Amino acid sequence: MESCRLHLRAMLLLVAFLYPAFVQSLVRHYKFSVVFKNTTKLCSSKPTITVNGKFPGPTLYAREDDTVIVRVINHVNHNLTIHWHGVKQLGTVWADGPAYITQCPIQPGQNFIYNFTFTGQRGTLLWHAHTSWLRATLHGAIVILPKRGTPYPFPTPDEEKTVILAEWWKSDVEAVVNQSVQSGLPPNVSDAHTINGHAGPVPGCSSPGGYTLHVESGKTYLLRIINAALNDDLFFKIAGHNLTVVEVDASYTKPFQTDTIFISPGQTTNAILTANQGIGKYLIAASPFMDAPVGFDNLTSIASLRYKGTPANPKAFLTSIPPQNATPVTNTFMNALRSLNSKQYPANVPLTIDHSLFFTIAVGVNPCATCVNGSKLVAAFNNVSFVMPTIALLQAYYYNKKGVYTLDFPANPPIPFNYTGNSTANMQTTNGTRLYRLGYNSTVQIVLQGTAIIAPESHPTHLHGFNFFVVGKGIGNFDPKKDPKTFNLVDPIERNTISVPTGGWTAIRFRADNPGIWFLHCHLEVHTTWGLKMAFLVENGKGPNETLRPPPADLPTC
Ligand SMILES: *[C@@H]1O[C@H](CO)[C@@H](O)[C@H](O)[C@H]1NC(C)=O
Ligand SMILES: *[C@@H]1O[C@H](CO)[C@@H](O)[C@H](O)[C@H]1NC(C)=O
Ligand SMILES: *[C@@H]1O[C@H](CO)[C@@H](O)[C@H](O)[C@H]1NC(C)=O
Ligand SMILES: *[C@@H]1O[C@H](CO)[C@@H](O)[C@H](O)[C@H]1NC(C)=O
Ligand SMILES: *[C@@H]1O[C@H](CO)[C@@H](O)[C@H](O)[C@H]1NC(C)=O
Ligand SMILES: *[C@@H]1O[C@H](CO)[C@@H](O)[C@H](O)[C@H]1NC(C)=O
Ligand SMILES: *[C@@H]1O[C@H](CO)[C@@H](O)[C@H](O)[C@H]1NC(C)=O
Ligand SMILES: *[C@@H]1O[C@H](CO)[C@@H](O)[C@H](O)[C@H]1NC(C)=O
Ligand SMILES: *[C@@H]1O[C@H](CO)[C@@H](O)[C@H](O)[C@H]1NC(C)=O
Ligand SMILES: *[C@@H]1O[C@H](CO)[C@@H](O)[C@H](O)[C@H]1NC(C)=O
Ligand SMILES: *[C@@H]1O[C@H](CO)[C@@H](O)[C@H](O)[C@H]1NC(C)=O
Ligand SMILES: *[C@@H]1O[C@H](CO)[C@@H](O)[C@H](O)[C@H]1NC(C)=O
């Protein structure tokens, strides 16, 4: 008996001793208190909705295979949800977060626990509110380190820095979107762009100080760059320094050098900066990209990179920002992106397709008796402006509640036309809560076709729950005979958000191996508001891990 106990104690000691090596994955707990906080570092002091009083919000740090448990406590007078943008949510669709798609909002005074695991992913992603326009200030980084003992597929940098780009309105963003919905007109553009919460010296919205990236000569830095802006594609540059891109949307890439990063709302880019220039101060710029005749915030946000040993009040090295309509710069950047496609990180591109879909992306105009011009701006995939239900689609599906949605989202536009021509036909959209059904493990190709209705524009399109491969892109109308021959099925970039070029198309492929309801939408919040969204219903498979699980007990109700 005694020796047995001793044995047990020895064993426990041994386990305790070996524990750090045994622990492959951890459960990490976070508390997100959503509270009002007066901002001080931006041009307008106003009560701003924040997580834990921070703008940007706290970073979620984890390793691949870790589980995170985030308790969100809503202390403000707004409904809200949090979305873990780019997280695959294998088996945990209930934790995905888009309001009225996978869950009802967390109402004022309520709590909800998001519980999910980072399976098969490592890199940088972001979290953000997924209700109305609240993500303007409710956002932060997600950093998923590789599994313990697994190196990066590039030389380990000396340090890592998170760089979050965003947009700032002097007014309450909810007032901005309300005004637009009531008038039927475009919403007011933002008053500044920000880099880690600072605008820098911006006309009309200057803020004290600015973000400083401190570096030491000879060291390397992994910059985890995130575009958390609502409506603006951005260029990111550092004077006098090139960047080596190694990952986008938590997928490793073949490394390539560039002096300009092009990044759309919802996208992330990891790039290595080598501090190989003379001691001094170098400007960092985040400037907008827009190659369509629509209004946008044209202000550049400024930060600085500062070498250790730089004297006080140095003259800064300047950088030239790309012209706002620098389409070629965006193309050069996007064309350089390739999956790493190594033995360890293969690009598993679906080679056969079960569902071949063709979605037009359009902004249109519908009649509206109460609006300023008797009409309102709308937007649609395949001419269907998506109508948000009043209960969550996933709940309706799970509890078999009828009449909330239909499963007839069209695989093709109702009428083919010259999509990128100057046709004024098809301006009016229909509406509905229409979903597209996919069998478990089926493969999907979507050609996202931009149109010239109202104005051609670049649309960063985001799919929840899956990474997709970007197999092709082009300008003008997609040609189903010629264009597939040019597809890259070997090492296309894998990501969760893709910028469909202005007046052009992009083809993506993914495998629907995760049951649930998954949102697809333009990540320009203005277009999401106008209806540029739809959802896929992925059916259950046969095995136990291929079946939608019951909802968590604390899931909010509507
Ligand atoms: C926050 O700012 C508003 C508007 O500037 C002001 O009225 C209010 O007193 C401030 N609140 C706090 C707690 O500082
Ligand atoms: C998180 O989910 C796991 C797996 O379903 C479950 O065992 C665990 O109890 C959950 N934790 C919390 C705090 O809800
Ligand atoms: C915006 O509209 C919503 C719904 O109509 C309303 O509840 C809210 O108070 C409005 N917010 C602002 C800031 O105008
Ligand atoms: C939008 O801009 C117009 C014109 O500058 C201004 O009158 C209006 O108050 C702004 N709306 C909001 C909600 O800030
Ligand atoms: C940056 O890269 C470009 C093109 O690869 C090259 O021409 C340029 O000299 C590089 N600049 C620096 C500072 O390394
Ligand atoms: C930015 O936009 C404002 C307002 O639309 C305009 O007056 C200004 O000339 C623009 N600036 C640049 C650099 O395009
Ligand atoms: C579509 O419209 C464009 C621009 O007007 C034109 O150049 C092109 O020839 C048209 N294509 C077809 C197939 O009509
Ligand atoms: C395109 O625009 C031109 C000039 O505005 C016009 O003459 C032509 O009829 C338009 N074509 C179509 C297909 O609308
Ligand atoms: C949907 O379309 C119908 C018919 O045109 C219209 O009455 C209704 O207001 C629209 N709903 C929304 C949310 O736009
Ligand atoms: C999904 O389909 C692929 C290709 O047919 C197959 O290799 C894989 O085993 C399937 N996965 C599941 C979970 O059924
Ligand atoms: C179920 O397991 C298979 C095989 O391990 C995996 O490919 C698939 O992604 C899993 N699906 C879910 C929803 O966990
Ligand atoms: C908050 O959400 C509940 C449940 O969906 C809904 O009944 C209520 O109208 C929402 N409140 C606002 C201000 O939108």
Side-chain angles (χ1 to χ4, degrees):
M1 189 69 198
E2 188 61 19
S3 88
C4 193
R5 237 182 236 156
L6 275 172
H7 258 93
L8 198 65
R9 266 184 57 199
M11 256 173 73
L12 284 174
L13 276 170
L14 190 69
V15 167
F17 180 70
L18 293 174
Y19 183 73
F22 271 135
V23 178
Q24 278 305 320
S25 58
L26 294 174
V27 178
R28 298 175 191 253
H29 292 262
Y30 285 86
K31 187 167 133 186
F32 276 23
S33 273
V34 182
V35 293
F36 279 108
K37 173 88 177 173
N38 266 13
T39 51
T40 51
K41 55 189 178 188
L42 278 149
C43 58
S44 52
S45 164
K46 64 169 189 191
T48 298
I49 301 186
T50 65
V51 166
N52 301 348
K54 294 195 166 80
F55 172 70
T59 298
L60 219 62
Y61 278 102
R63 278 188 191 277
E64 183 179 345
D65 287 345
D66 285 355
T67 294
V68 293
I69 300 211
V70 188
R71 185 189 189 85
V72 177
I73 309 156
N74 183 356
H75 290 294
V76 298
N77 57 349
H78 289 269
N79 284 344
L80 56 91
T81 64
I82 305 287
H83 168 52
W84 316 94
H85 183 115
V87 175
K88 289 183 184 169
Q89 300 289 5
L90 271 177
T92 50
V93 59
W94 296 105
D96 189 40
Y100 300 108
I101 306 295
T102 62
Q103 70 166 98
C104 295
I106 309 168
Q107 294 182 42
Q110 287 185 347
N111 297 344
F112 178 54
I113 292 175
Y114 291 92
N115 179 350
F116 55 91
T117 301
F118 296 109
T119 307
Q121 290 183 282
R122 74 304 298 167
T124 307
L125 294 169
L126 69 156
W127 59 264
H128 61 76
H130 215 305
T131 343
S132 189
W133 280 34
L134 297 184
R135 75 176 162 95
T137 56
L138 288 182
H139 61 247
I142 300 177
V143 173
I144 315 164
L145 300 170
K147 291 179 204 181
R148 200 171 289 283
T150 303
Y152 290 123
F154 46 82
T156 304
D158 294 307
E159 280 183 48
E160 304 197 357
K161 310 264 186 184
T162 300
V163 179
I164 304 184
L165 313 176
E167 264 178 289
W168 174 258
W169 277 259
K170 289 183 190 174
S171 303
D172 180 344
V173 285
E174 292 300 282
V176 172
V177 64
N178 280 6
Q179 189 178 46
S180 163
V181 167
Q182 273 157 28
S183 66
L185 301 172
N188 287 0
V189 300
S190 54
D191 296 300
H193 294 109
T194 57
I195 301 176
N196 281 345
H198 297 268
V202 172
C205 191
S206 212
S207 57
Y211 171 68
T212 304
L213 179 66
H214 293 279
V215 301
E216 274 182 56
S217 243
K219 286 196 171 175
T220 56
Y221 298 83
L222 180 66
L223 304 186
R224 298 176 175 274
I225 308 162
I226 296 170
N227 186 345
L230 270 77
N231 298 322
D232 292 336
D233 290 330
L234 295 167
F235 291 121
F236 178 84
K237 275 188 90 167
I238 304 180
H241 293 76
N242 281 340
L243 295 164
T244 303
V245 174
V246 292
E247 181 228 294
V248 296
D249 295 6
S251 301
Y252 291 129
T253 66
K254 292 195 172 74
F256 70 95
Q257 238 192 49
T258 181
D259 63 0
T260 308
I261 304 276
F262 169 58
I263 188 164
S264 294
Q267 293 185 331
T268 61
T269 302
N270 279 9
I272 292 172
L273 164 81
T274 304
N276 59 3
Q277 299 298 305
I279 300 289
K281 179 176 161 182
Y282 296 80
L283 287 193
I284 300 177
S287 64
F289 163 66
M290 174 55 79
D291 62 355
V294 299
F296 66 104
D297 171 359
N298 60 16
L299 297 167
T300 297
S301 171
I302 303 288
S304 54
L305 175 150
R306 200 183 176 106
Y307 278 79
K308 191 174 175 185
T310 299
N313 303 316
K315 198 163 156 282
F317 291 90
L318 304 180
T319 181
S320 61
I321 58 166
Q324 286 165 354
N325 61 356
T327 313
V329 177
T330 67
N331 282 329
T332 303
F333 185 84
M334 289 197 285
N335 294 344
L337 288 170
R338 290 277 184 282
S339 280
L340 182 59
N341 192 27
S342 63
K343 203 175 224 175
Q344 197 177 0
Y345 303 102
N348 293 317
V349 188
L351 298 178
T352 58
I353 296 300
D354 300 317
H355 298 268
S356 183
L357 311 178
F358 185 88
F359 288 2
T360 55
I361 300 177
V363 172
V365 181
N366 281 359
C368 168
T370 56
C371 295
V372 170
N373 297 325
S375 65
K376 64 176 178 184
L377 288 161
V378 289
F381 286 120
N382 279 352
N383 218 43
V384 182
S385 290
F386 191 83
V387 176
M388 281 308 230
T390 51
I391 81 159
L393 297 175
L394 191 59
Q395 276 152 316
Y397 169 55
Y398 185 79
Y399 293 110
N400 205 11
K401 194 169 160 50
K402 302 281 179 230
V404 179
Y405 58 83
T406 54
L407 285 170
D408 59 352
F409 191 87
N412 291 285
I415 319 158
F417 60 103
N418 186 350
Y419 307 110
T420 52
N422 62 348
S423 159
T424 50
N426 306 297
M427 285 231 299
Q428 209 162 316
T429 65
T430 62
N431 69 36
T433 309
R434 300 169 70 177
L435 275 53
Y436 191 92
R437 188 200 334 232
L438 299 171
Y440 178 78
N441 204 32
S442 60
T443 52
V444 187
Q445 173 175 296
I446 315 174
V447 174
L448 296 158
Q449 173 70 62
T451 66
I453 303 173
I454 310 285
E457 201 180 323
S458 160
H459 295 274
T461 306
H462 172 50
L463 176 63
H464 286 228
F466 304 96
N467 279 354
F468 48 72
F469 291 95
V470 183
V471 295
K473 84 176 186 13
I475 294 302
N477 301 334
F478 174 71
D479 182 331
K481 288 207 178 68
K482 283 194 202 135
D483 289 324
K485 291 182 186 134
T486 67
F487 283 180
N488 174 3
L489 302 177
V490 177
D491 63 353
I493 196 66
E494 178 181 350
R495 55 191 323 169
N496 62 61
T497 307
I498 184 65
S499 195
V500 178
T502 297
W505 57 270
T506 297
I508 62 173
R509 290 187 177 189
F510 67 98
R511 178 179 292 279
D513 60 359
N514 195 9
I517 292 187
W518 304 102
F519 212 16
L520 174 79
H521 61 100
C522 179
H523 217 266
L524 304 181
E525 206 55 51
V526 52
H527 294 161
T528 316
T529 306
W530 290 345
L532 193 41
K533 49 198 171 188
M534 59 80 68
F536 289 102
L537 188 159
V538 178
E539 292 176 320
N540 288 338
K542 295 197 182 72
N545 89 328
E546 301 170 5
T547 303
L548 181 60
R549 294 177 200 162
D554 60 343
L555 190 76
T557 52
C558 291

